[in-house]
Amino acid sequence: MKKSFIVFWCLILMAFSVQGRDYSRLYSQLDKSVVIIYSDSQQVRSEDDQLVTSTESSLGSGTLINKEGLILTAAHVVNSADTLTVDVKGRGQYAAKVISSYQAADIALIKILSTENDFPAIALGDSGKAKIGNEVFVIGTPYGLSHTLTVGHLSGRRLHQGVGKGTIEFLQTDAAINQGNSGGPLFNVNGELIGVVSYIETQSGGNEGLGFAASSNMIKELLLNQPIIWFGLEFSVLNPQIAAALNVPQASGMLVEKVAKQSFAEAVGLRGGTVEASIQNQAMVLGGDVILKIGPHQILGNESNYTQIAQYLRDVKPGEEIHFKLLRMGEILELGAAKPTTKIVLE
């Protein structure tokens, strides 16, 4: 009799456990805040002595984090975009612009260009409370299949030293993540946003259970509390051999390959390249500016130099001029622009 009683209660507890894993209610509550991001980037290339413009399109996901249309996403989804379009479920499509981007942590903020102030927003949770083994779930647009939910567990925490201030933290999960999930939310079982999907480790090109999301606490510290300039640059760092071959008057420099529209780099007046080339097995686009110096810091091409420049850019006050020294078509130029004033208001 006692054994039957124990079996009975085990079955009851199992039934409640299964019921607790039903994400349908959470999905219906949270999915309206998950958006699809369409990114278009123009490429100008020299072909047969003519400049030909083409457009590369991609998509990703994001999460509304305030009612005015501020969206958290991955930097690689939007960083070099010339135009952004955001699809809000049940509301339609809106133009958007990048507000801030931190490539080293693959996190970015974009803003819907609208006067509407009633978008369905989600507050960021405390990723520090998440424990390895906890169930988590992702909503995104894998391979264009919009508003897809996948479920898994928190598999680990991966820490890296960031460029400048702060530590970069990624949450590892075995929830299925594929192309199109990038920038989408990672939720805990309470429906709290604890991460932004960044990348996967894969040998097949698809999901293999090794997905990574930028932690919400890192996002608060490195992106929301002190927004980082969106440069909108694609570039290659030149080593001494390539720098000498390109007649750069120093041992290193940043070769500008692409400048996104409405970015800080465009405000400065930087120009990208047009000629695709491969030098020392490194693919790059030639013909653009080579940045020699940012503020007081010469480009040296080493990690400590990047740290110094990142710290300098953080320390410059909004509205103050940031100066650039560069090489353009054999001439040394000095350009500059005021650091943008960016204030993040979530409530």
Side-chain angles (χ1 to χ4, degrees), residues 80 85 130 274 279 281 302:
S80 59
T85 303
T274 59
I279 303 177
N281 296 320
N302 57 55

Side-chain angles (χ1 to χ4, degrees), residues 115-343:
T115 58
E116 297 177 37
N117 59 3
D118 62 343
F119 289 102
I122 294 175
L124 269 69
D126 183 355
S127 58
K129 294 181 179 179
K131 297 180 180 180
I132 296 174
N134 286 166
E135 278 195 317
V136 293
F137 63 99
V138 171
I139 301 176
T141 315
Y143 299 118
L145 300 173
S146 62
H147 300 277
T148 296
L149 179 142
T150 56
V151 180
H153 296 83
L154 183 63
S155 308
R157 293 177 181 272
R158 308 301 170 197
L159 301 177
H160 309 280
Q161 184 57 47
V163 178
K165 289 183 178 179
T167 299
I168 295 174
E169 180 185 43
F170 287 99
L171 305 179
Q172 182 181 333
T173 178
D174 60 358
I177 293 172
N178 288 288
Q179 183 179 350
N181 277 118
S182 294
L186 177 72
F187 293 110
N188 62 18
V189 293
N190 297 319
E192 297 170 330
L193 177 61
I194 60 170
V196 170
V197 174
S198 176
Y199 68 100
I200 60 174
E201 293 285 351
T202 177
Q203 295 182 356
S204 65
N207 172 66
E208 294 181 0
L210 293 171
F212 299 87
S215 73
S216 59
N217 286 0
M218 177 189 68
I219 291 167
K220 294 173 187 176
E221 179 184 353
L222 299 183
L223 194 66
L224 300 180
N225 293 343
Q226 189 178 0
I228 297 172
I229 299 171
W230 172 50
F231 270 85
L233 277 180
E234 291 180 7
F235 63 89
S236 292
V237 178
L238 305 177
N239 63 35
Q241 294 76 25
I242 298 177
L246 297 178
N247 294 317
V248 176
Q250 60 188 51
S252 185
M254 294 172 59
L255 175 65
V256 179
E257 299 177 324
K258 166 80 166 64
V259 174
K261 294 180 179 178
Q262 303 183 62
S263 65
F264 182 67
E266 184 182 57
V268 171
L270 299 178
R271 298 179 184 176
T274 59
V275 180
E276 294 182 350
S278 178
I279 303 177
Q280 293 184 341
N281 296 320
Q282 180 179 350
M284 57 183 64
V285 182
L286 304 178
D289 295 334
V290 178
I291 300 174
L292 307 174
K293 195 174 183 182
I294 300 177
H297 300 285
Q298 180 176 315
I299 305 298
L300 302 177
N302 57 55
E303 187 173 344
S304 62
N305 181 227
Y306 300 149
T307 300
Q308 291 175 341
I309 293 172
Q311 189 60 57
Y312 161 74
L313 293 172
R314 281 185 174 274
D315 291 342
V316 173
K317 296 180 180 179
E320 290 184 356
E321 194 91 355
I322 299 175
H323 296 280
F324 294 76
K325 183 179 180 181
L326 55 96
L327 177 68
R328 176 181 292 169
M329 304 296 290
E331 295 186 15
I332 302 294
L333 301 178
E334 292 196 10
L335 303 175
K339 182 177 180 178
T341 301
T342 305
K343 185 177 181 181

